[in-house]
């Protein structure tokens, strides 16, 4: 326990060292420092992975951060470094949220299906090989970008390899994005802090269950939203815009293939800011061209170049072409679409209904926040004869991007996803939650910003609207609050059973053993047990049997068992009990057995 506390303290000291450097030298706004640092670390470690020096990069970042922390601590005691400017509401909220998440997630293990098919698997493989995944791993979704896994790898290298630490690392990323909303908060304006807090909680409640897994759908929306906040704040400072937003945009693209969609959205936003502040109604001088060229290079050129390097890496690492991957976008997939005419007739209306369903919390939130923004816009115009350009722009751009994103989902379902999955718009809830966070985040931030200025000298009205707006922000997702108290029951899960039983096999010293698993309850689990076993063993040396009711099942079971070193009975039925009791005398047949088959005789030894 004491060692882990020390490790956490040293980690935060190192990160603080880099944060202090960013604050004092680069002059990054303090609310943006967490996501700026985390994105920069991910970018550097990812680039190091491309040349196979990830452990070296981690050590350099970690120890240089500690040195910087000591230097700034020394300057503080010499009274050459002020403390008060750093006690901004964003940093206090960030620190308290991080502490809360560490306590909340302590001891949890992964249980979600997709952790074992990819998102947790890639983290585990990277931690074992100390590099980006390659053909020596069992990662199957080979073209999926590794952004969040790279950051988690950095955290695990410092803290130690535990799944709860991985969950904490992902939570750190999410919270670092949310606190960017506090960029205009001040301690002397508590109403703004409270309303921003309500908006931040609303964003996290869109899918609180994401804190229990390493899927990146929610994180993708949060990072994209954080980049928008940064873009707006630095709209009149193109150099700072590029310095701070470039690593965030790189991280956005490295999170998921669909990150390119949000990269495009945000680049459009940033370029529009640059146009209106530096190009519009101005002569096209050498300095203006320099700004445009730099923006194109840093915002598009560098992120896309790193994406190109990732594609080249996967081709070299796996000895397979990009088009071999399930969700790879290739001309052949678009040109040779084999979906049925019935599917094509229904997918458009089906997707429209799902994306505009007011009974869903997601679209309900979009509708409510839009109404709030429009009402505030009208009120400001009626009372002050002033049109809020921020609200108009936010309403137009967020809703426009929502529509464009739905078109991208239509493209995915029609051209990239197998028909049996696309027909039920598989994963739509997760995909939609990404854009929901992005849209309502932009609109809530615009509402809070204008509200704070419009009612600045009206305390009674401000208090009433504070309670009203805060309640409306959280209302669509209020039903998700109960999820906070419903943490996964890990001890009673089949994941825990497999983890516990395979650890017994590992304790025997067996190297890459062949294992037969027996579990009637997993018959209709859509491959859940298979992925769990692959994750635990990090190999395909296993066989799973779900019963012995037919001759085919019996033949499969006994054929695999003859070639196995161990038998794991996860849950039993009458058939396996009758067979086991011929060779062993145990009270509970569920367990692990060493298997030996010689001269047509079975020897089973409980472990």
């Amino acid at each position: 326990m004491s060692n882990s506390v020390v490790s956490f303290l040293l980690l935060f000291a190192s990160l603080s060292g880099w944060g202090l450097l960013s604050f004092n030298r680069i002059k990054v706004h303090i609310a943006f420092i967490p996501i700026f640092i985390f994105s920069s670390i991910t970018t550097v470690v990812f680039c190091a992975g491309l040349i196979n020096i990830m452990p070296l990069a981690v050590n350099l970042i970690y120890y240089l951060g500690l040195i910087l922390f000591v230097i700034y601590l020394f300057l503080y005691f010499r009274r050459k470094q002020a403390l008060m400017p750093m006690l901004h509401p964003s940093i206090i909220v960030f620190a308290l949220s991080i502490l809360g998440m560490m306590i909340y997630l302590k001891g949890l293990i992964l249980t979600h299906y997709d952790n074992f098919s990819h998102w947790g698997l890639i983290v585990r493989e990277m931690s074992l090989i100390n590099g980006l995944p390659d053909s020596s791993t069992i990662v199957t979704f080979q073209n999926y970008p590794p952004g969040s896994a790279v950051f988690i790898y950095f955290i695990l290298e410092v803290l130690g390899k535990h799944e709860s630490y991985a969950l904490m690392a992902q939570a750190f990323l999410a919270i670092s994005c949310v606190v960017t909303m506090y960029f205009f908060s001040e301690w002397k304006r508590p109403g703004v802090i409270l309303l921003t807090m309500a908006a931040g909680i609303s964003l996290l409640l869109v899918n609180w269950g994401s804190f229990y897994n390493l899927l990146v759908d929610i994180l993708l929306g949060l990072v994209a939203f954080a980049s928008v906040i940064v873009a707006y704040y630095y709209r009149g400072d193109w150099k700072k815009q590029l310095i701070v937003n470039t690593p965030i945009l790189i991280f956005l693209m490295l999170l998921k293939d669909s990150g390119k969609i949000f990269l495009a959205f945000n680049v459009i936003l940033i370029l529009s800011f640059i146009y209106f502040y530096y190009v519009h109604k101005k002569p096209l001088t050498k300095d203006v061209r320099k700004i445009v060229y730099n923006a194109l290079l840093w915002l598009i050129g560098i992120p896309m170049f790193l994406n190109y390097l990732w594609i080249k890496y996967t081709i070299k690492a796996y000895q397979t072409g990009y088009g071999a991957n399930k969700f790879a976008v290739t001309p052949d997939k678009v040109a040779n679409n084999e979906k049925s005419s019935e599917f094509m007739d229904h997918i458009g209306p089906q997707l429209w209904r799902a994306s505009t369903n007011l009974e869903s919390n997601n679209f309900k939130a979009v509708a409510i926040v839009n109404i709030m923004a429009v009402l505030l816009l009208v009120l400001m115009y009626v009372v002050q004869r002033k049109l809020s350009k921020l609200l108009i722009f936010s309403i137009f751009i967020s809703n426009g991007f929502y529509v464009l994103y739905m078109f991208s989902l239509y493209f995915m379902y029609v051209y990239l996803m197998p028909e049996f999955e696309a027909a039920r718009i598989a994963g739509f809830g997760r995909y939609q939650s990404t854009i929901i966070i992005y849209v309502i985040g932009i609109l809530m931030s615009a509402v809070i910003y204008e509200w704070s200025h419009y009612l600045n000298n009206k305390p009674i009205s401000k208090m009433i609207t504070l309670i009203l707006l805060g309640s409306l922000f959280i209302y669509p997702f209020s039903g998700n609050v109960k999820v906070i108290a419903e943490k996964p029951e890990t001890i009673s899960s089949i994941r825990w059973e497999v983890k516990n039983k395979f650890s017994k096999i590992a304790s025997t010293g067996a190297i890459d053993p062949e294992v037969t698993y027996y579990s009637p309850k997993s018959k209709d689990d859509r491959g859940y047990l298979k992925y769990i076993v692959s994750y635990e063993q990090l190999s395909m040396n296993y066989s799973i049997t779900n019963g012995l009711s037919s001759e085919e099942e019996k033949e499969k079971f006994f054929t695999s068992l003859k070639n196995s070193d161990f038998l794991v009975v996860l849950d039993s039925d009458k058939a396996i009990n009758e067979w086991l009791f011929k060779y062993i005398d145990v009270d509970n047949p569920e367990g692990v057995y060493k298997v030996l088959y010689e001269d047509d005789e079975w020897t089973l030894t409980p472990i």
Side-chain angles (χ1 to χ4, degrees):
M1 177 65 180
S2 59
N3 288 338
S4 62
V5 171
V6 171
S7 297
F8 272 106
L9 290 174
L10 290 174
L11 170 66
F12 293 139
S14 176
L15 295 174
S16 298
W18 289 109
L20 289 165
L21 180 71
S22 302
F23 182 72
N24 288 283
R25 294 296 181 184
I26 308 177
K27 306 298 182 184
V28 178
H29 189 287
I30 197 160
F32 307 151
I33 286 176
I35 187 58
F36 173 70
I37 295 299
F38 293 168
S39 300
S40 300
I41 288 173
T42 303
T43 301
V44 172
V45 177
F46 170 76
C47 291
L50 295 175
I51 55 177
N52 202 28
I53 56 168
M54 284 178 74
L56 175 61
V58 170
N59 286 325
L60 284 174
I61 293 169
Y62 176 63
Y63 289 110
L64 285 174
L66 287 176
I67 293 170
L68 287 169
F69 179 77
V70 171
I71 291 171
Y72 280 105
L73 196 63
F74 174 77
L75 292 174
Y76 168 73
F77 284 115
R78 292 288 301 271
R79 301 186 183 280
K80 295 183 179 181
Q81 173 67 47
L83 179 63
M84 290 308 296
M86 292 177 286
L87 298 180
H88 188 267
S90 59
I91 292 301
I92 302 303
V93 170
F94 177 72
L96 293 175
S97 300
I98 289 295
L99 179 61
M101 276 299 175
M102 287 166 54
I103 297 170
Y104 181 73
L105 297 173
K106 180 184 176 184
L108 287 185
I109 61 172
L110 303 177
T111 56
H112 191 282
Y113 181 101
D114 285 335
N115 287 312
F116 310 117
S117 64
H118 181 74
W119 301 107
L121 178 63
I122 186 175
V123 170
R124 188 157 188 234
E125 290 280 25
M126 286 172 59
S127 295
L128 286 173
I129 67 174
N130 278 315
L132 295 173
D134 56 27
S135 58
S136 69
T137 70
I138 61 168
V139 173
T140 53
F141 298 97
Q142 297 163 355
N143 69 320
Y144 279 21
S148 61
V150 170
F151 180 77
I152 294 169
Y153 167 83
F154 170 82
I155 297 296
L156 296 186
E157 283 296 291
V158 176
L159 297 179
K161 297 172 178 62
H162 194 286
E163 289 176 12
S164 65
Y165 294 164
L167 293 171
M168 290 176 196
Q170 187 116 316
F172 296 170
L173 288 170
I175 294 167
S176 71
C177 296
V178 172
V179 297
T180 58
M181 298 178 75
Y182 292 81
F183 73 98
F184 58 92
S185 298
E186 300 175 10
W187 289 116
K188 61 184 180 182
R189 301 166 72 190
V192 175
I193 297 174
L194 290 173
L195 193 53
T196 305
M197 196 174 296
I201 292 171
S202 176
L203 292 179
L204 297 180
L205 283 176
V206 171
N207 186 358
W208 185 269
S210 64
F211 285 116
Y212 307 140
N213 60 65
L214 300 180
L215 280 68
V216 298
D217 303 279
I218 297 300
L219 185 60
L220 180 63
L222 288 171
V223 174
F225 163 64
S227 173
V228 172
I229 297 294
V230 172
Y232 177 76
Y233 182 78
Y234 290 123
R235 62 194 182 281
D237 186 343
W238 71 270
K239 289 183 179 178
K240 200 67 67 65
Q241 177 80 265
L242 303 186
I243 291 171
V244 180
N245 233 330
T246 296
I248 300 175
L249 291 175
I250 291 172
F251 183 45
L252 178 65
M253 189 202 60
L254 290 176
L255 273 176
K256 199 177 181 183
D257 271 337
S258 53
K260 298 184 187 70
I261 297 171
F262 290 96
L263 175 68
F265 289 170
N266 288 6
V267 167
I268 290 171
L269 277 174
I270 296 169
L271 290 180
S272 67
F273 288 142
I274 289 175
Y275 173 79
F276 283 111
Y277 275 84
Y278 297 100
V279 180
H280 185 56
K281 294 182 179 179
K282 291 182 175 64
L284 197 60
T285 62
K286 182 179 179 181
D287 288 339
V288 172
R289 286 197 295 269
K290 177 185 175 183
I291 293 171
V292 174
Y293 294 153
N294 273 284
L296 295 175
L297 171 65
W298 287 84
L299 301 176
I300 301 176
I302 294 178
M304 294 311 297
F305 177 67
L306 289 181
N307 179 68
Y308 169 78
L309 292 179
W310 169 244
I311 293 173
K312 287 297 183 182
Y313 172 85
T314 56
I315 293 172
K316 180 180 178 181
Y318 296 107
Q319 299 297 309
T320 184
Y322 170 74
N325 295 292
K326 179 180 177 181
F327 289 110
V329 180
T330 63
D332 286 343
K333 287 185 178 180
V334 176
N336 301 315
N337 181 28
E338 298 179 353
K339 297 292 193 305
S340 66
S341 57
E342 182 183 2
F343 169 83
M344 294 302 295
D345 289 340
H346 288 90
I347 185 62
Q350 186 180 9
L351 196 58
W352 168 259
R353 289 192 297 272
S355 61
T356 58
N357 181 15
L358 276 171
E359 293 183 4
S360 75
N361 292 335
N362 285 346
F363 191 70
K364 189 187 297 179
V366 172
I368 289 174
V369 180
N370 265 288
I371 291 170
M372 292 163 62
V374 170
L375 288 177
L376 182 58
L377 177 67
V378 172
L379 184 63
M380 291 177 65
Y381 179 75
V382 170
V383 176
Q384 297 182 338
R385 293 295 170 184
K386 173 189 173 185
L387 274 176
S388 169
K389 293 180 181 178
L390 174 61
L391 285 173
I392 294 172
F393 185 73
S394 298
I395 293 168
F396 172 77
I397 208 74
S398 59
N399 288 287
F401 285 161
Y402 183 79
V403 172
L404 289 175
Y405 182 81
M406 288 304 151
F407 275 112
S408 76
L409 290 187
Y410 176 84
F411 177 88
M412 180 193 71
Y413 284 123
V414 170
Y415 296 106
L416 304 181
M417 188 176 283
E419 184 169 337
F420 74 93
E421 293 181 357
R424 54 185 172 88
I425 53 173
F428 178 80
R430 287 195 291 113
Y431 303 142
Q432 187 192 32
S433 64
T434 303
I435 189 67
I436 292 300
I437 284 174
Y438 184 75
V439 168
I440 67 173
I442 292 173
L443 288 172
M444 287 191 297
S445 298
V447 167
I448 296 170
Y449 187 84
E450 292 291 24
W451 168 85
S452 66
H453 290 85
Y454 175 64
L455 295 174
N456 197 34
N457 298 315
K458 303 172 184 177
I460 297 177
S461 299
K462 197 165 189 177
M463 180 60 68
I464 295 171
T465 53
L466 168 65
I467 296 171
L468 179 63
L469 292 175
S471 300
L472 288 173
F473 284 165
I474 296 175
Y475 165 70
F477 308 108
S478 56
N480 296 348
V481 172
K482 62 182 180 181
V483 181
I484 299 174
E486 296 174 353
K487 291 196 288 187
E489 289 289 338
T490 55
I491 302 239
S492 60
S493 67
I494 194 169
R495 163 71 209 290
W496 182 264
E497 287 294 314
V498 175
K499 179 180 177 65
N500 184 44
K501 287 177 170 56
F502 188 73
S503 66
K504 292 182 178 180
I505 295 174
S507 67
T508 66
I511 299 174
D512 207 12
E514 191 76 35
V515 185
T516 294
Y517 292 85
Y518 189 86
S519 175
K521 292 181 180 178
S522 301
K523 187 172 184 178
D524 299 315
D525 68 353
R526 296 171 57 199
Y528 182 52
L529 177 58
K530 181 190 77 169
Y531 282 119
I532 291 175
V533 172
S534 298
Y535 176 86
E536 290 294 341
Q537 294 193 196
L538 292 181
S539 77
M540 297 299 177
N541 295 339
Y542 64 86
S543 175
I544 297 173
T545 301
N546 301 122
L548 299 174
S549 58
S550 67
E551 290 302 318
E552 183 181 349
E553 287 178 327
K554 290 178 182 178
E555 182 180 356
K556 175 191 173 186
F557 174 71
F558 289 115
T559 299
S560 66
L561 195 59
K562 288 175 183 178
N563 298 316
S564 296
D565 302 300
F566 297 91
L567 167 66
V568 174
V569 180
L570 294 168
D571 47 86
S572 60
D573 56 12
K574 183 179 178 181
I576 193 66
N577 289 347
E578 289 177 352
W579 183 80
L580 280 173
F581 289 150
K582 295 178 184 178
Y583 305 100
I584 56 174
D585 182 17
V586 293
D587 295 330
N588 183 7
E590 296 174 7
V592 183
Y593 303 92
K594 174 70 177 170
V595 178
L596 183 63
Y597 182 73
E598 287 183 343
D599 302 325
D600 292 332
E601 290 291 331
W602 293 100
T603 302
L604 301 178
T605 307
I607 296 177

